Amino acid sequence: GYNHFELYNTEVMYVNGSFIFGSRKFYNRIIIGATSYNQKFAWGLGYGIGTNMRFSDKNSLNVDLQTMHVNVEGWSKHVNFLNTISFTLTTKVSDRVDFFIGPSVNLYIKDQTNLYGNEPVTSLFLPDVYPFFTKYNGNPTNNTLIKGWVGWKAGFRI
């Protein structure tokens, strides 16, 4: 099987860990990530799927699609999803360790109304990214923010 642990960095979640299990053609991933933003601790839990395409004994390409529920300090009860597709080139560093790096395309979806729907949630999580897409519906009952941007993913796989 294709069973690994990854430790990696992205432009939004600075420290991430992922358990990967399945086969090279199709695998699942369970993800946990953490970062600090506006002097607040943000963390996320997620799930993803992916595939690994070998070029040679040392090099391959991983394509991953994942979603993460982002929480600022405590558990966020509202919609707060970071969705990502990443394309990482992988090279073997040793028999047991791989290094990977590549671009990602991200779509962040956040409900910015509180549970009563009448005031914005103050714990907006989104570090300084340069979005290629932004949609914001600012009415009191449907206060949804959607942003898309290009980022990166880099790390080690064992």
Side-chain angles (χ1 to χ4, degrees), residues 68-80:
M68 180 182 284
H69 182 260
V70 178
N71 304 281
V72 179
E73 295 179 341
W75 182 262
S76 297
K77 295 179 181 179
H78 49 274
V79 172
N80 200 14

Side-chain angles (χ1 to χ4, degrees), residues 71-146:
N71 304 281
V72 179
E73 295 179 341
W75 182 262
S76 297
K77 295 179 181 179
H78 49 274
V79 172
N80 200 14
F81 288 106
L82 177 58
N83 305 288
T84 305
I85 185 168
S86 60
F87 305 89
T88 54
L89 293 172
T90 303
T91 189
K92 282 202 158 302
V93 176
S94 70
D95 287 342
R96 299 174 72 95
V97 178
D98 297 342
F99 172 75
F100 58 89
I101 189 168
S104 65
V105 177
N106 302 275
L107 187 65
Y108 180 63
I109 302 170
K110 178 173 182 19
D111 176 8
Q112 299 200 116
T113 54
N114 68 7
L115 297 178
Y116 305 105
N118 60 3
E119 60 186 67
V121 172
T122 58
S123 60
L124 173 63
F125 162 79
L126 194 59
D128 296 328
V129 294
Y130 301 99
F132 62 80
F133 173 82
T134 300
K135 182 179 186 318
Y136 179 63
N137 181 1
N139 74 51
T141 58
N142 183 9
N143 200 2
T144 304
L145 170 71
I146 301 172

Side-chain angles (χ1 to χ4, degrees), residues 9-36:
N9 169 271
T10 70
E11 76 287 349
V12 176
M13 287 291 192
Y14 300 143
V15 178
N16 298 275
S18 180
F19 292 100
I20 299 170
F21 51 95
S23 67
R24 282 190 185 277
K25 289 184 180 182
F26 181 82
Y27 55 81
N28 297 278
R29 59 190 310 124
I30 304 295
I31 308 139
I32 187 165
T35 194
S36 176

